[in-house]
Amino acid sequence: MKLPNHLAIIMDGNGRWAQLRGQPRVFGHIKGTRIAKKIITECSRLGVKNLTLYAFSAENWLRPEAEVSFLMKLLRRYLDKESQNLVKENIRFSIIGEVERLPKDVIDSIQKTMRATQECTGLNLIFAISYGSRQEITRAVSAIAQKVRDGDMSPEQINESVINEHLGTAGTPDPDLIIRTSGEKRISNFLLWQAAYAELYFCETLWPDFTKLDLMTALADFAARCRRFGGLKAENSPPPTQYSDEQLLH
Ligand code: FPP
């Protein structure tokens, strides 16, 4: 089966999952973390090369303090507990997002996990934390503008590669497939630039209920799609016409 080289997931529906069970929202985040662990292992086993998980958006800072603080603790606990497993599974960990907004202990755990896994050559696992695509693009534009101001770059040198190199995702291929769970059909400030040609897959399952079978269903759906990147696939090319453009436009 043709796998996406880069799979990105918006893990949505934790709060609703908990509320449906009469439990506090954070219960959904706890279950959601277990599911994330399972899906990471499965992607690694299948041979997906890059996996980005939207773990905390720039807009999530607006949630009640107690939920934000719980999510930060959960993140830290995940990293501290999983770091050695990631190494065992040959998974390289990194993050995108405004890391400086995170609590110091979370930044420390992120850096430790990145160091511990830096030689790993299997799955490239990226957590988007305190991440917003518009913020990422704004930063890139600002950094490029400073280079132009300082005379290190001319406006004519700015092209798509230059912009790519100034994004948090520099060096990682664009996502081929973006999955969003929980029935919402939005991109919500996630990888806006990078998703130019991504296939989108939406499913009703709430993230804490997401199974390996749901993952396989999404991957099979992706494998069956015909990606043309704005061009034409050979078998879809029209037969050559006997008319000139002028005749056709007449
Ligand atoms: C969306 O559900 C999910 C989040 C805001 C956080 C996602 C975080 C996790 C799955 C846990 C942390 C992950 C790792 C890998 C440590 P929601 O709360 O917006 O749900 P709702 O839309 O039903 O309210």
Side-chain angles (χ1 to χ4, degrees):
M1 184 166 75
K2 183 187 66 180
L3 284 173
N5 183 29
H6 183 175
L7 168 65
I9 309 182
I10 303 176
M11 308 177 288
D12 197 11
N14 293 351
R16 273 165 286 166
W17 182 90
Q19 278 161 347
L20 280 170
R21 286 159 180 76
Q23 292 172 334
R25 294 173 53 81
V26 292
F27 276 61
H29 296 317
I30 295 172
K31 181 77 194 302
T33 305
R34 268 188 235 137
I35 301 300
K37 177 171 149 51
K38 223 165 57 180
I39 295 302
I40 292 165
T41 299
E42 190 58 10
C43 285
S44 162
R45 200 186 64 76
L46 288 168
V48 172
K49 261 320 278 174
N50 302 278
L51 173 66
T52 301
L53 297 180
Y54 207 176
F56 190 87
S57 75
E59 291 71 27
N60 286 156
W61 290 113
L62 299 171
R63 292 196 176 192
E65 214 284 306
E67 185 174 341
V68 169
S69 142
F70 191 87
L71 277 167
M72 290 299 139
K73 285 186 191 138
L74 202 55
L75 213 61
R76 183 177 167 198
R77 199 183 62 161
Y78 169 84
L79 293 171
D80 294 348
K81 269 180 68 180
E82 284 307 307
S83 196
Q84 282 319 303
N85 277 340
L86 293 177
V87 175
K88 262 189 225 139
E89 293 180 44
N90 197 23
I91 297 173
R92 186 170 176 276
F93 173 80
S94 62
I95 76 149
I96 50 172
E98 297 182 324
V99 68
E100 65 282 356
R101 291 185 73 182
L102 301 169
K104 168 92 174 58
D105 62 330
V106 178
I107 298 178
D108 287 347
S109 292
I110 289 171
Q111 286 173 343
K112 261 190 221 156
T113 309
M114 282 175 61
R115 267 199 305 273
T117 63
Q118 67 187 355
E119 305 294 337
C120 295
T121 54
L123 174 69
N124 188 20
L125 171 66
I126 302 146
F127 279 7
I129 310 176
S130 186
Y131 175 84
S133 193
R134 286 185 169 183
Q135 292 85 338
E136 179 190 38
I137 293 168
T138 305
R139 270 194 184 203
V141 171
S142 170
I144 294 168
Q146 282 177 41
K147 287 187 183 169
V148 172
R149 184 196 58 197
D150 297 345
D152 295 332
M153 189 184 279
S154 72
E156 293 71 30
Q157 283 174 306
I158 301 172
N159 57 26
E160 289 187 14
S161 306
V162 168
I163 295 174
N164 277 328
E165 285 157 21
H166 287 81
L167 296 172
T169 48
T172 306
D174 286 344
D176 303 291
L177 173 65
I178 299 181
I179 298 175
R180 182 173 190 148
T181 60
S182 92
E184 306 291 355
K185 296 179 180 67
R186 289 188 289 275
I187 289 295
S188 299
N189 207 11
F190 187 48
L191 302 176
L192 299 179
W193 167 276
Q194 299 88 336
Y197 287 101
E199 296 292 326
L200 306 179
Y201 181 88
F202 300 103
C203 66
E204 294 296 320
T205 314
L206 301 174
W207 178 250
D209 287 329
F210 196 79
T211 61
K212 287 183 199 171
L213 182 62
D214 290 314
L215 175 68
M216 293 312 293
T217 308
L219 293 177
D221 188 280
F222 169 80
R225 294 193 195 184
C226 166
R227 303 181 78 200
R228 295 192 296 273
F229 301 95
L232 288 175
K233 250 192 126 187
E235 64 261 36
N236 293 338
S237 299
T241 167
Q242 62 197 26
Y243 302 109
S244 69
D245 287 355
E246 285 65 34
Q247 285 171 314
L248 288 168
L249 288 167
H250 181 64

